[in-house]
């Protein structure tokens, strides 16, 4: 009697459960962006509190990316062992608690240490909910990944806007403590729903399974190489996002004389256009395909950052930040989705580790370049890496990496 290899499909999870899962994951993406943006708009105040120079602040900010990079590969293993949903909830709790720590420090070294904890939680939740999102994308067989990252950007826009409103009235201590309370309340409600939903099992094509058991094969050398390539795109993109988060407000405030509230608007403009770009990302990917989306996005971001970093007026800089956000919008979601499709949580962790490696290099690099030249000159490095992402996307235009049918061209 012949052996029939049974390959699980998305039919194991009811359609209404998939809809609820998409909603709950969207909430966690938004919460992540809200908390992270609430922290970054208070960086100027924390800089003043600690008495740090641009270079020492850059080294302290290194803690966020260092903590994220160190824990990302570990989180990939934890996701395979305990499940993406459980790890997402635990990391959301840790993220909410750790965001209250930076205002309690009064020196750059102490700030760097607490940012290691914050970064570890931030990196962990990004691997966990991106892995869950990749499974849902493959199950639904639609390129909806940008919609999740749109929620992150929307949360960032709201968090930055709120931070700008309270910057002159509420101390960083009370502001970030408020983010902790909000984060724990949202996690309590959304986390309970997430843990009740059975994770979907995406379909695995026969060529990627063992002939006798039907279990997924370990990624081969070519697959691992492609994961690294997509990770490089994530690196170039995350460098730009990190630069805007860590240095955008300072550039507007110190180089262009903007008030603290107006400086916070810079990141809000960036987050707003990223949100718009990602909300339309699914349609864009279905019409243009991933290669054209990456090439066009990288080119647009490079032009926007040149304007944003070199413009002599506040309004021109805000316009440049907005254009850069629109260009960068879908690069990271595409890179992470492709890596996760190829290698599951390990692929997400690898691409995310490389991506946040860009953030790891960004804060100290821009800080030192700001001391050597100027902050505006240092920010032009974002344009260089955005153009590099476009070049990598063009160079991989003939590579097909879809293990399951998708709408649109790859």
């Amino acid at each position: 009697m012949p052996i029939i290899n049974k390959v699980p499909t998305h039919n194991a999870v009811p359609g209404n459960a998939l809809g609820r899962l998409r909603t709950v994951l969207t909430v966690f993406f938004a919460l992540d962006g809200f908390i992270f943006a609430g922290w970054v708009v208070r960086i100027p105040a924390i800089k003043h509190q600690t008495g740090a120079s641009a270079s020492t602040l850059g080294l302290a900010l290194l803690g966020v990316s260092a903590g994220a990079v160190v824990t990302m590969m570990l989180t990939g293993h934890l996701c395979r062992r305990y499940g993406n949903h459980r790890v997402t909830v635990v990391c959301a709790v840790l993220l909410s608690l750790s965001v209250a720590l930076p205002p309690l420090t009064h020196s750059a070294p102490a700030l760097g240490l607490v940012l290691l904890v914050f970064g570890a939680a931030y990196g962990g939740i990004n691997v966990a909910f991106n892995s869950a999102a990749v499974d849902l994308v493959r199950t639904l067989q639609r390129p909806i990944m940008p919609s999740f990252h749109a929620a992150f950007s929307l949360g960032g826009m709201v968090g930055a806007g709120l931070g700008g409103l309270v910057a002159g009235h509420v101390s960083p201590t009370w502001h970030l403590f408020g983010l902790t309370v909000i984060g724990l309340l949202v996690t309590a409600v959304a986390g309970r729903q997430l843990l009740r939903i059975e994770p979907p099992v995406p379909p695995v094509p026969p060529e990627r399974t063992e002939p006798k058991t039907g279990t997924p094969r370990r990624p081969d050398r070519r697959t691992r190489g492609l994961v690294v390539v997509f990770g490089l795109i994530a690196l170039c993109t995350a460098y730009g996002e990190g630069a805007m988060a860590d240095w955008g407000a300072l550039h507007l405030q110190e180089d262009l004389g903007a008030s603290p509230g107006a400086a916070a608007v810079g990141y809000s403009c960036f987050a707003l256009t990223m949100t718009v770009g990602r909300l339309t990302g699914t349609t864009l990917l279905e019409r243009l395909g991933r290669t054209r989306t990456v090439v066009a996005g990288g080119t647009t971001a490079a032009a926007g950052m040149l304007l944003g970093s070199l413009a002599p007026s506040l309004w021109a800089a805000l316009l440049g930040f907005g254009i850069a956000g629109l260009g960068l919008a879908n690069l990271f979601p595409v890179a992470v989705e492709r890596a996760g499709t190829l290698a599951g949580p390990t692929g997400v962790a690898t691409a995310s580790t490389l991506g946040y490696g860009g953030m790891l290099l960004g804060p100290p690099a821009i800080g030192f370049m700001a001391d050597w030249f100027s902050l505006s000159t240092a920010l032009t490095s974002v344009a260089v890496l955005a153009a590099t992402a476009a070049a990598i996307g063009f160079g991989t235009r003939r590579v097909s990496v879809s293990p399951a049918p998708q709408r649109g061209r790859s």
Side-chain angles (χ1 to χ4, degrees), residues 151-352:
F152 173 87
S153 297
L154 180 60
M157 183 183 66
V158 174
L162 177 63
L165 289 175
V166 305
H169 308 284
V170 179
S171 69
T173 301
W174 284 107
H175 175 202
L176 298 187
F177 178 73
L179 297 186
T180 294
V181 174
I182 294 172
L184 292 176
L185 289 175
V186 172
T187 301
V189 176
R192 185 178 181 183
Q193 295 297 319
L194 183 61
L195 294 177
R196 288 179 172 178
I197 301 173
E198 186 70 21
V201 180
V204 181
E207 64 271 16
R208 292 189 180 273
T209 60
E210 296 294 342
K212 294 183 179 180
T213 64
T215 57
R217 290 178 175 174
R218 292 177 60 85
D220 55 21
R221 181 177 299 178
R222 175 182 177 275
T223 299
R224 293 193 296 269
L226 287 173
V227 167
V228 171
V229 168
F230 292 119
L232 291 176
I233 295 177
L235 183 152
C236 295
T237 306
Y239 181 97
E241 292 189 52
M244 288 300 304
D246 293 344
W247 298 104
L250 281 175
H251 168 58
L252 297 179
Q253 193 169 338
E254 296 184 357
D255 296 336
L256 300 178
S259 66
V265 171
Y267 187 75
S268 296
C269 290
F270 179 78
L272 173 62
T273 55
M274 287 200 79
T275 302
V276 172
R278 287 172 171 174
L279 285 172
T280 59
T282 296
T283 301
L284 191 67
L285 286 168
E286 289 177 336
R287 291 184 177 181
L288 298 182
R290 293 172 179 84
T291 296
R292 292 180 182 177
T293 299
V294 170
V295 173
T299 303
T300 301
M305 274 311 299
L306 286 176
L307 175 61
S309 58
L310 302 178
S313 67
L314 174 62
W315 292 109
L318 292 176
L319 175 62
F321 286 178
I323 294 173
L326 192 64
L328 291 176
N330 294 303
L331 302 189
F332 194 90
V334 169
V336 171
E337 183 219 329
R338 295 293 80 199
T341 298
L342 286 166
T346 300
V348 172
T350 300
S352 298

Side-chain angles (χ1 to χ4, degrees), residues 96-180:
S96 300
L97 293 174
S98 61
V99 74
L101 298 178
L104 305 180
T105 63
H106 297 280
S107 68
L111 177 63
L113 288 176
V114 300
L115 289 181
L116 278 172
V117 179
F118 178 70
Y122 181 71
I125 194 172
N126 273 268
V127 170
F129 62 34
N130 271 297
S131 297
V134 167
D135 285 346
L136 183 58
V137 168
R138 292 178 55 198
T139 300
L140 296 176
Q141 298 184 16
R142 288 196 65 212
I144 62 170
M145 197 70 172
S147 68
F148 294 115
H149 289 260
F152 173 87
S153 297
L154 180 60
M157 183 183 66
V158 174
L162 177 63
L165 289 175
V166 305
H169 308 284
V170 179
S171 69
T173 301
W174 284 107
H175 175 202
L176 298 187
F177 178 73
L179 297 186
T180 294

Side-chain angles (χ1 to χ4, degrees), residues 365-405:
I366 291 179
F368 283 118
M369 284 189 287
D371 281 347
W372 294 336
F373 306 105
S374 68
L375 182 54
S376 60
T377 301
L379 287 174
T380 61
S381 62
V382 175
V384 174
L385 289 186
T388 301
I392 294 173
F394 182 77
T396 57
R397 64 191 182 281
R398 301 184 185 278
V399 176
S400 176
V401 296
S402 298

Side-chain angles (χ1 to χ4, degrees), residues 27-38:
V27 170
F28 276 108
F29 272 86
L31 177 65
D32 187 41
F34 177 78
I35 291 177
F36 186 73

